[in-house]
Amino acid sequence: MSKILLLEDDTNLNETVTEFLEDEGYEVVSVYDGEEAQEKLYENRYDLLLLDINVPGLNGLELLKESRAQGVVAPAIYITSMDSVEDLEEGFKSGCDDYIRKPFALKELKIRIETLLKRGFYQQRKERIMITGDIAYDISNNELIIKDKSVSMGNKEATLLKLFVKNEGRVLAHELIFDHLWGYDEEPSDSALRTYIKNLRKLIGKDRIVSIKKQGYKFITEK
């Protein structure tokens, strides 16, 4: 049974969605504000996150951005009344996988959930990503393995490597990396990022992280 975290401050909508999904066979943990959702994310693992954006306290965007920085990889769908391109762009930058606009049909929500869970299922089957012939990344444990031995990393390096692995072959802009690597109470630093990149290159090889001038970095595995 897939476990879903639902964040929705509208009582009627929260209860309607919860009842519908439970009838469809899902386990639903429903909350009404961002802080409570954050606590639930610290306490439990979820297969999918269903997040309203405009909620009391910590909004859905901030919640997901912080959760992604902490290593939460569960697919996320935003429930939103926002409809501008800028809002959509901000949503995907914060780490969401899909969104559904209010008002919506429950059947459409079910289809979107099933699509993301199916994608996540196949991704989870592959628990290790081979970076080179003797270097692997364990997805489930967020662990770097070199010659069958676990290698410890600093928190920033571990978070950065997970971000790279999830986006293999994509150019990640400096701003996106900053958003994932530094919290709201921290000051991003170009020099610090270069240090973390250098530390990772020492572990996995300098050719695995490619610097793209004036754009960012791209992570590639050994073919």
Side-chain angles (χ1 to χ4, degrees):
M1 180 187 295
S2 296
K3 189 172 184 178
I4 296 175
L5 176 65
L6 169 63
L7 167 61
E8 171 58 64
D9 66 327
D10 183 301
T11 303
N12 290 332
L13 182 57
N14 189 310
E15 292 177 354
T16 297
V17 171
T18 298
E19 183 177 346
F20 171 76
L21 293 178
E22 288 179 342
D23 287 345
E24 292 296 326
Y26 295 105
E27 179 184 352
V28 181
V29 175
S30 65
V31 294
Y32 296 87
D33 64 70
E35 278 77 12
E36 188 178 2
Q38 190 174 50
E39 289 178 9
K40 296 296 183 184
L41 279 170
Y42 285 144
E43 295 169 359
N44 298 286
R45 177 190 170 278
Y46 297 90
D47 298 293
L48 185 135
L49 312 178
L50 196 54
L51 309 173
D52 187 8
I53 292 179
N54 292 319
V55 294
L58 191 68
N59 68 43
L61 291 171
E62 294 168 340
L63 172 68
L64 186 58
K65 186 181 290 187
E66 288 190 8
S67 299
R68 292 294 189 233
Q70 295 298 321
V72 174
V73 297
I77 300 175
Y78 278 140
I79 305 171
T80 179
S81 55
M82 299 176 178
D83 57 5
S84 72
V85 174
E86 290 76 16
D87 292 331
L88 183 61
E89 182 180 26
E90 185 179 1
F92 280 106
K93 278 185 177 180
S94 69
C96 83
D97 299 272
D98 199 359
Y99 72 99
I100 188 167
R101 289 196 180 102
K102 298 178 181 179
F104 54 85
L106 292 172
K107 185 175 180 180
E108 179 185 355
L109 177 63
K110 177 187 174 185
I111 292 171
R112 291 177 182 274
I113 289 173
E114 288 175 345
T115 300
L116 283 180
L117 287 176
K118 185 180 294 185
R119 183 196 305 171
F121 173 82
Y122 289 115
Q123 288 174 341
Q124 288 167 16
R125 296 306 91 197
K126 190 175 182 182
E127 294 183 349
R128 282 193 180 188
I129 299 293
M130 296 307 300
I131 297 175
T132 69
D134 56 6
I135 301 176
Y137 178 76
D138 187 306
I139 297 172
S140 58
N141 297 315
N142 191 22
E143 185 177 35
L144 181 65
I145 300 167
I146 300 178
K147 294 181 179 179
D148 294 323
K149 292 184 178 181
S150 177
V151 176
S152 62
M153 296 179 285
N155 289 336
K156 297 295 189 188
E157 285 83 358
T159 301
L160 182 57
L161 181 58
K162 174 177 279 190
L163 178 65
F164 278 139
V165 170
K166 284 173 58 183
N167 295 277
E168 180 188 357
R170 289 179 54 197
V171 178
L172 300 183
H174 295 97
E175 292 78 12
L176 186 148
I177 297 175
F178 287 160
D179 287 343
H180 278 77
L181 220 54
W182 279 274
Y184 289 101
D185 57 346
E186 298 177 307
E187 185 68 31
S189 163
D190 281 311
S191 61
L193 176 57
R194 286 194 294 270
T195 299
Y196 301 140
I197 294 287
K198 182 179 179 181
N199 293 341
L200 278 182
R201 282 172 169 163
K202 287 179 181 178
L203 293 171
I204 65 177
K206 63 180 182 179
D207 295 335
R208 304 281 65 84
I209 303 174
V210 181
S211 299
I212 309 297
K213 191 173 182 180
K214 295 184 179 180
Q215 294 186 48
Y217 294 94
K218 180 168 69 174
F219 170 76
I220 53 175
T221 57
E222 188 176 65
K223 304 302 181 184

